[in-house]
Amino acid sequence: MGSLPTDVLENNFACSANPLDADEFRRQGHLVIDFIADYYQNIEKLPVRSQVEPGYLKKRLPESAPYNPEPIELILKDVQNDIMPGITHWQSPNYFAYFPSSGSIAGFLGDMLSTGFNVVGFNWMSSPAATELESIVMDWLGKMLKLPESFLFSGNGGGVLQGTTCEAILCTLIAARDRMLNKIGRENIHKLVVYGSDQTHCAMQKAAQIAGIHPKNFHAIPTSKSNAFALPVESLRSAIIFDIQAGLVPLFLCATVGTTSSTAVDPVGPLCDIAKDYNIWVHVDAAYAGSACICPEFRHFIDGVENADSFSLNAHKWFFTTLDCCCLWVKDPSSLVKALSTNPEYLKNKATESKQVVDYKDWQIALSRRFRALKLWLVLRSYGVANLRNFLRNHVRMAKHFEGLVAMDKRFEIVVPRTFAMVCFRMLPPTSMVEMQGDGVKSAVHANELNQKLLESVNASGRIYMTHGVIGGVYMIRFAVGATLTEERHVKIAWKVVQEHADALGL
Amino acid sequence: MGSLPTDVLENNFACSANPLDADEFRRQGHLVIDFIADYYQNIEKLPVRSQVEPGYLKKRLPESAPYNPEPIELILKDVQNDIMPGITHWQSPNYFAYFPSSGSIAGFLGDMLSTGFNVVGFNWMSSPAATELESIVMDWLGKMLKLPESFLFSGNGGGVLQGTTCEAILCTLIAARDRMLNKIGRENIHKLVVYGSDQTHCAMQKAAQIAGIHPKNFHAIPTSKSNAFALPVESLRSAIIFDIQAGLVPLFLCATVGTTSSTAVDPVGPLCDIAKDYNIWVHVDAAYAGSACICPEFRHFIDGVENADSFSLNAHKWFFTTLDCCCLWVKDPSSLVKALSTNPEYLKNKATESKQVVDYKDWQIALSRRFRALKLWLVLRSYGVANLRNFLRNHVRMAKHFEGLVAMDKRFEIVVPRTFAMVCFRMLPPTSMVEMQGDGVKSAVHANELNQKLLESVNASGRIYMTHGVIGGVYMIRFAVGATLTEERHVKIAWKVVQEHADALGL
């Protein structure tokens, strides 16, 4: 090509349209809507768990970014050919892994609008609707959950949309930490103790680590099958008393409603009672199961929350709102603000000074924030309370159905009782084998390996996707119903798939 | 209505379609694409800064969520009537406030695809394409910036997409903190010192606060007009020596390329040299100006980055990628992983155990993460390096033009030299007034009040939106070019608007 100066070359290849040209936006936007609609139309046929090997994509893509622009049609083709094989289809009706990431049209559209406005809602001033809609929908959802008034803005508490539970726990922990350190002195940070159970989500441990809590001072109280893997109230009291005697300072308790391993439910009320005696901040993590509490028949699982300090659930898990959308309510927003506020000159404004507005930047880790409230608002309005309850009940009903199918097959057992829409089950080793071995430990190991094998065999087929947990030493398969497209027929087929693979293992 | 049981009522109102029904998705998706395309078509006519008063939305929306579903057409009408007035139009071509939040069609579509797949990409296993594409585009962008190989995966470093700079700084600080505390003992956390300048973004102070650094130990080195508000190298050395003598432990330095107040550039190379002598982690925060460094003529601003430990820029600021998308590169990913990793049973998998994959959950605060790489990939491919450079240069050219216009009007002055696409200017008080007062302090206060008045008057008109900064005691108006739709004509009109309002103030 010779030696044309870079600038000339670049000008030659410049595309004429503005990158936000409305007509081009319309054209390309419609293309992508159809692409995604087609994806949902055909999603059922795709292998649920991606079947690629590590490094697959590097082999398919160029070493560096293109110098010249490429058309959207080509890019979409590459999405289809190169990206799609590496996608695990969380939206597939045959997806029963981890916890659901339940998308919906309303959630999707809300995210589109938010991306379209693309405002940076750090404070009220930067786009008042972003802040005000968030406060309003958080009060709406709080009322649907029958949270006590003290968690709502109308009762001097308030809600905020965080990205994830990790952030929600970290923010509340920092608030609790600084409230305590202001009393006992900064130099005592190494004395602060955080409590959870051995079933508490690792987000708690990570938050404690980030907040500078001494790693030795994250106390995970052991649980057991005898109390369904819930945090034992008396063990907590003993641990607290022991720690105080050792010169430590109890700070924070994370109680879980619907643990990740088995959807166990910690006794919120009694735990709060103990915590109160020792001035411990209680956060209730209902990331998964919180959504179900909009149904009157499930609400009792969070009874006692009126004595907690903060409560969170992930609307992006089981509430039809796309990732990420963690709803956090606190009784004392000022403790968050004290710990997390900044006041740089360039953000000073009359509204903030008037103290009539919420500046959400002081309720979270990051300064910049997306307009997440739109998607939650669209979900609440598009479906309404009645349908949302029905959707959740339907998932529970399907899980119950699956539970029944497992119970009817003598080769299997339900490991822990089902509470919501997740079934924890496992295959039992053939009696002959247990007898032959006559060794409890060996037999347990064998059962675990057997189920691991069964799970891998099922997932490798691509027909359904489930994941595992280990509880009380027992390896179990978790079957979580909650993908939005799942219908009863998918659950029935899923069980057949499990049975077929069990058959193939010769058991 | 009498006493129909709740369940019956709920079933009566249930909508028949699945909330992710493909046909309905298609219909509603096209509606919203048109809604947003129309928005961009007409955005120029809207008042840029929202003109609502605190509490405006509460008056318009119901007290609680609807019981029954509502159609999308009605919801969009409410977006138009109720939400829109509370939006400050960051995408307006007349938006010159804060820093830009430069959207693009490609960024928007990438976000749509990500929302459509709605995968939770905590680790490689959960959706391999999400992780692999992220690593690939981070290497692509790293090469475009001519980052040293040691920051790329190909050189045993690596990049990750965080939400915001706040998170990027927090993660690197935690990594540095734990590396140091492992050496000197956890109980010495109160001795750790973090350095920045008085121009460093408040994200640094907030991160230090969250990480449990003693508030007294965030040392902001004073800057001055004489060195263009850059961090003075020798002051840093003196501060470090002083702190060591006082028994403290220097830990972390945040150097900024393009400060928020005035786009000042800290001397990265010399600062890294000093930091090296004392084993201090250097993070280079190029949130705004980093993007410009893909142009050869701007690259020198990050010279010396090869001696830093981490580097970040916000693609959602001035790189056509929708919020949120902060690109962070580190030389030693293992330090992040050591500080931030968790290993819960339910996420254990063969790929992780093989150590052939990246699990990004261990590079960030949260466990769950969106598939953000798609939007950055689409931006890089849709525009190509050549156009991206041209877009940025065009913004710089427009800012330069505005600077020239300011310079020609004797009533105004440029407060600090323009470096990128932001002009910091102010109105001078009329000479007569300065003479009349004969008091330097009073006169300075008067000048500040005058510019505050001018800015408020301009912004209240809704025709353009700018924000302010205070530097060296001087209140100045910041004019940041970077909204994607801005063309030269908008800049010209913007200046006329400023002049008209100055005229109206009778000056």
Side-chain angles (χ1 to χ4, degrees):
Chain A
M1 284 279 295
S3 57
L4 269 178
T6 313
D7 257 22
V8 175
L9 273 172
E10 283 170 13
N11 286 329
N12 273 352
F13 287 113
C15 66
S16 52
N18 183 292
L20 210 52
D21 176 80
D23 291 331
E24 197 53 29
F25 177 92
R26 200 183 302 270
R27 188 183 77 82
Q28 297 192 24
H30 286 311
L31 275 180
V32 174
I33 284 294
D34 282 333
F35 183 92
I36 300 172
D38 291 347
Y39 170 62
Y40 290 145
Q41 209 114 44
N42 299 312
I43 197 167
E44 197 164 337
K45 299 168 205 151
L46 301 172
V48 191
R49 191 186 74 177
S50 167
Q51 311 279 323
V52 300
E53 292 296 315
Y56 92 99
L57 193 56
K58 210 170 158 29
K59 293 175 197 151
R60 298 174 181 223
L61 299 195
E63 287 278 302
S64 51
Y67 190 72
N68 299 320
E70 298 182 288
I72 186 68
E73 291 79 2
L74 175 66
I75 298 173
L76 286 178
K77 205 184 263 180
D78 292 348
V79 171
Q80 190 66 52
N81 296 337
D82 297 330
I83 302 299
M84 207 67 100
I87 297 282
T88 289
H89 302 288
W90 288 63
Q91 304 313 304
S92 165
N94 301 315
Y95 180 96
F96 305 101
Y98 307 108
F99 277 136
S101 157
S102 63
S104 70
I105 300 169
F108 183 92
L109 302 183
D111 240 345
M112 271 174 82
L113 288 170
S114 158
T115 308
F117 290 132
N118 203 28
V119 301
V120 183
F122 27 71
N123 56 11
W124 181 87
M125 188 63 213
S126 70
S127 232
T131 297
E132 297 206 5
L133 188 64
E134 186 161 329
S135 300
I136 289 168
V137 293
M138 289 304 285
D139 266 13
W140 281 13
L141 186 51
K143 285 177 196 166
M144 286 166 67
L145 291 161
K146 299 208 186 308
L147 289 185
E149 190 76 12
S150 53
F151 278 111
L152 309 184
F153 283 101
S154 49
N156 292 319
V160 58
L161 293 175
Q162 304 269 339
T164 64
T165 300
C166 300
E167 292 155 67
I169 292 181
L170 178 56
C171 289
T172 50
L173 177 61
I174 300 289
R177 182 198 69 185
D178 285 4
R179 194 172 69 175
M180 185 61 85
L181 291 182
N182 285 341
K183 271 189 224 160
I184 66 169
R186 287 252 144 210
E187 64 283 6
N188 289 308
I189 187 170
H190 62 282
K191 292 185 186 165
L192 301 178
V193 186
V194 168
Y195 302 89
S197 83
D198 57 14
Q199 299 301 309
T200 302
H201 194 274
C202 62
M204 181 71 249
Q205 196 190 337
K206 188 163 176 175
Q209 162 77 357
I210 291 170
I213 304 296
H214 198 296
K216 275 193 260 173
N217 292 349
F218 170 64
H219 292 176
I221 314 282
T223 62
S224 65
K225 188 156 187 163
S226 64
N227 48 10
F229 300 100
L231 202 162
V233 176
E234 283 314 311
S235 307
L236 174 69
R237 192 189 295 276
S238 311
I240 293 171
I241 293 170
F242 184 87
D243 288 338
I244 292 173
Q245 283 169 349
L248 298 176
V249 179
L251 175 70
F252 192 93
L253 164 68
C254 180
T256 309
V257 175
T259 60
T260 306
S261 288
S262 68
T263 72
V265 177
D266 292 339
V268 174
L271 291 174
C272 286
D273 289 343
I274 295 183
K276 224 176 192 175
D277 291 346
Y278 300 95
N279 199 21
I280 293 173
W281 181 300
V282 182
H283 178 75
V284 177
D285 167 15
Y288 161 68
S291 310
C293 299
I294 65 162
C295 303
E297 67 272 30
F298 289 111
R299 173 58 178 77
H300 68 92
F301 287 116
I302 55 168
D303 279 358
V305 70
E306 57 276 13
N307 289 322
D309 297 275
S310 47
F311 174 83
S312 65
L313 67 83
N314 286 348
H316 61 250
K317 272 202 167 64
W318 195 24
F319 206 65
F320 311 97
T321 312
T322 47
L323 188 68
D324 44 4
C325 192
C326 169
C327 307
L328 167 68
W329 290 267
V330 293
K331 265 189 191 165
D332 177 18
S334 76
S335 62
L336 279 183
V337 173
K338 270 179 213 152
L340 297 167
S341 76
T342 50
N343 189 22
E345 177 61 41
Y346 77 98
L347 291 181
K348 285 182 182 159
N349 67 87
K350 276 190 207 161
T352 297
E353 281 156 25
S354 78
K355 298 194 174 168
Q356 289 189 309
V357 298
V358 169
D359 286 337
Y360 274 127
K361 71 178 175 57
D362 298 335
W363 295 48
Q364 63 171 27
I365 294 159
L367 184 73
S368 296
R369 58 201 318 271
R370 287 168 56 87
F371 190 171
R372 290 197 188 99
L374 272 171
K375 58 184 169 185
L376 188 53
W377 187 53
L378 259 77
V379 166
L380 295 177
R381 294 193 60 188
S382 290
Y383 306 118
V385 177
N387 274 306
L388 288 165
R389 285 182 183 160
N390 278 334
F391 296 155
L392 298 171
R393 284 171 180 153
N394 198 30
H395 291 153
V396 174
R397 197 155 32 221
M398 288 191 277
K400 211 169 171 177
H401 183 78
F402 187 87
E403 190 186 26
L405 294 171
V406 175
M408 282 191 299
D409 189 325
K410 283 185 185 157
R411 296 173 297 174
F412 291 86
E413 70 164 358
I414 301 293
V415 180
V416 290
R418 182 197 51 77
T419 312
F420 303 100
M422 186 170 86
V423 180
C424 297
F425 70 101
R426 66 164 184 164
M427 192 157 201
L428 294 164
T431 331
S432 60
M433 207 167 280
V434 176
E435 277 166 4
M436 256 167 55
Q437 294 189 336
D439 176 339
V441 177
K442 257 196 197 159
S443 158
V445 170
H446 177 73
N448 287 356
E449 282 170 0
L450 179 71
N451 281 283
Q452 204 164 352
K453 223 166 154 180
L454 172 63
L455 181 60
E456 183 47 35
S457 158
V458 168
N459 288 343
S461 78
R463 294 179 65 195
I464 62 171
Y465 185 28
M466 306 176 293
T467 50
H468 78 286
V470 172
I471 199 158
V474 172
Y475 184 101
M476 61 191 187
I477 300 175
R478 296 162 74 266
F479 184 83
V481 181
T484 309
L485 291 169
T486 302
E487 297 169 14
E488 196 164 290
R489 65 189 168 94
H490 299 106
V491 169
K492 283 182 177 157
I493 292 171
W495 177 242
K496 273 201 187 136
V497 170
V498 173
Q499 282 182 313
E500 280 168 29
H501 284 263
D503 293 345
L505 287 176
L507 298 168
Chain B
M1 283 281 293
S3 59
L4 270 177
T6 314
D7 258 22
V8 175
L9 272 173
E10 281 169 14
N11 284 331
N12 272 352
F13 287 112
C15 66
S16 52
N18 184 291
L20 211 53
D21 176 78
D23 291 331
E24 196 54 27
F25 177 91
R26 200 183 302 269
R27 188 184 76 81
Q28 297 191 24
H30 286 310
L31 275 182
V32 174
I33 284 293
D34 283 332
F35 182 91
I36 300 172
D38 292 346
Y39 170 63
Y40 290 146
Q41 210 115 44
N42 299 312
I43 196 166
E44 198 164 336
K45 299 168 207 152
L46 301 171
V48 191
R49 191 187 73 178
S50 166
Q51 311 279 324
V52 300
E53 292 296 316
Y56 91 100
L57 194 56
K58 209 172 161 29
K59 294 174 196 153
R60 298 174 180 223
L61 299 194
E63 288 277 302
S64 50
Y67 191 74
N68 299 320
E70 298 181 285
I72 185 67
E73 291 79 1
L74 175 66
I75 298 172
L76 286 178
K77 206 184 264 180
D78 292 347
V79 171
Q80 189 66 52
N81 296 337
D82 297 330
I83 303 299
M84 207 65 101
I87 297 283
T88 288
H89 303 287
W90 288 63
Q91 304 312 304
S92 166
N94 301 315
Y95 179 95
F96 305 100
Y98 306 109
F99 277 136
S101 156
S102 63
S104 70
I105 300 168
F108 183 91
L109 302 182
D111 239 346
M112 270 174 81
L113 288 169
S114 158
T115 307
F117 290 132
N118 202 27
V119 302
V120 183
F122 28 71
N123 57 11
W124 180 89
M125 187 64 212
S126 69
S127 231
T131 297
E132 298 205 7
L133 188 64
E134 186 161 331
S135 300
I136 289 168
V137 293
M138 289 304 284
D139 266 12
W140 281 12
L141 186 52
K143 285 178 194 166
M144 287 166 65
L145 291 161
K146 299 209 184 307
L147 289 185
E149 190 75 13
S150 53
F151 279 110
L152 308 183
F153 283 100
S154 49
N156 292 320
V160 58
L161 293 176
Q162 304 269 339
T164 63
T165 300
C166 299
E167 292 155 67
I169 292 181
L170 178 57
C171 290
T172 51
L173 177 62
I174 300 289
R177 182 197 70 184
D178 284 3
R179 195 172 69 175
M180 184 61 85
L181 290 182
N182 286 341
K183 270 190 226 161
I184 65 170
R186 286 253 144 210
E187 64 283 5
N188 290 309
I189 187 169
H190 62 283
K191 291 186 186 163
L192 302 177
V193 186
V194 169
Y195 301 90
S197 83
D198 56 15
Q199 299 301 309
T200 302
H201 194 273
C202 63
M204 180 71 250
Q205 195 192 334
K206 189 163 176 174
Q209 161 78 358
I210 292 170
I213 304 296
H214 198 295
K216 275 192 260 172
N217 291 349
F218 170 64
H219 291 176
I221 314 282
T223 61
S224 65
K225 188 155 188 166
S226 64
N227 49 12
F229 300 101
L231 202 163
V233 176
E234 283 315 311
S235 305
L236 174 69
R237 192 188 297 276
S238 310
I240 293 171
I241 292 170
F242 184 87
D243 288 338
I244 291 173
Q245 282 169 348
L248 299 175
V249 179
L251 175 71
F252 192 91
L253 165 68
C254 180
T256 309
V257 175
T259 59
T260 305
S261 287
S262 68
T263 74
V265 177
D266 291 340
V268 175
L271 290 174
C272 286
D273 290 343
I274 293 184
K276 223 176 192 174
D277 291 346
Y278 300 95
N279 200 22
I280 293 172
W281 181 300
V282 182
H283 177 75
V284 177
D285 166 16
Y288 160 69
S291 310
C293 299
I294 65 162
C295 303
E297 68 272 29
F298 290 112
R299 173 58 175 77
H300 68 93
F301 286 116
I302 56 169
D303 279 359
V305 70
E306 56 276 13
N307 289 321
D309 296 275
S310 48
F311 174 83
S312 64
L313 66 82
N314 287 348
H316 61 250
K317 270 201 169 63
W318 195 24
F319 206 64
F320 311 97
T321 312
T322 46
L323 188 69
D324 45 4
C325 192
C326 170
C327 307
L328 167 69
W329 290 266
V330 292
K331 265 188 189 164
D332 177 18
S334 77
S335 61
L336 279 183
V337 173
K338 269 179 213 153
L340 296 168
S341 76
T342 50
N343 190 22
E345 177 61 40
Y346 77 99
L347 291 181
K348 285 184 182 158
N349 67 87
K350 275 190 206 161
T352 298
E353 280 155 25
S354 77
K355 297 196 175 167
Q356 290 189 308
V357 298
V358 169
D359 287 338
Y360 274 126
K361 71 178 175 57
D362 299 335
W363 295 48
Q364 63 172 27
I365 294 159
L367 185 73
S368 296
R369 58 202 317 272
R370 287 169 55 87
F371 190 172
R372 290 198 189 99
L374 271 171
K375 58 183 171 184
L376 188 52
W377 187 53
L378 257 77
V379 165
L380 294 176
R381 295 193 60 188
S382 290
Y383 307 118
V385 177
N387 274 306
L388 288 165
R389 285 182 182 158
N390 278 333
F391 296 156
L392 298 172
R393 284 171 179 153
N394 198 28
H395 291 152
V396 174
R397 199 156 29 223
M398 288 190 277
K400 213 170 170 176
H401 183 76
F402 186 86
E403 190 186 25
L405 295 171
V406 175
M408 282 193 297
D409 189 328
K410 283 184 184 157
R411 295 174 299 175
F412 291 86
E413 72 166 357
I414 301 291
V415 180
V416 291
R418 182 197 51 77
T419 311
F420 303 100
M422 186 170 85
V423 181
C424 298
F425 70 102
R426 66 164 185 162
M427 194 160 200
L428 294 163
T431 331
S432 59
M433 207 168 278
V434 176
E435 277 167 4
M436 255 167 57
Q437 295 189 336
D439 174 339
V441 178
K442 258 196 195 159
S443 160
V445 170
H446 177 73
N448 287 357
E449 282 170 0
L450 178 72
N451 281 282
Q452 205 165 348
K453 221 164 152 182
L454 173 63
L455 181 60
E456 182 49 34
S457 158
V458 168
N459 289 342
S461 78
R463 294 179 65 193
I464 63 171
Y465 185 27
M466 307 176 292
T467 50
H468 78 286
V470 172
I471 198 156
V474 172
Y475 184 101
M476 61 191 187
I477 299 174
R478 296 162 73 265
F479 184 83
V481 181
T484 309
L485 291 169
T486 303
E487 296 170 16
E488 198 164 288
R489 64 189 169 98
H490 300 105
V491 170
K492 284 182 177 158
I493 292 170
W495 177 241
K496 274 201 187 136
V497 171
V498 174
Q499 283 183 313
E500 281 168 28
H501 284 262
D503 293 345
L505 287 176
L507 300 166

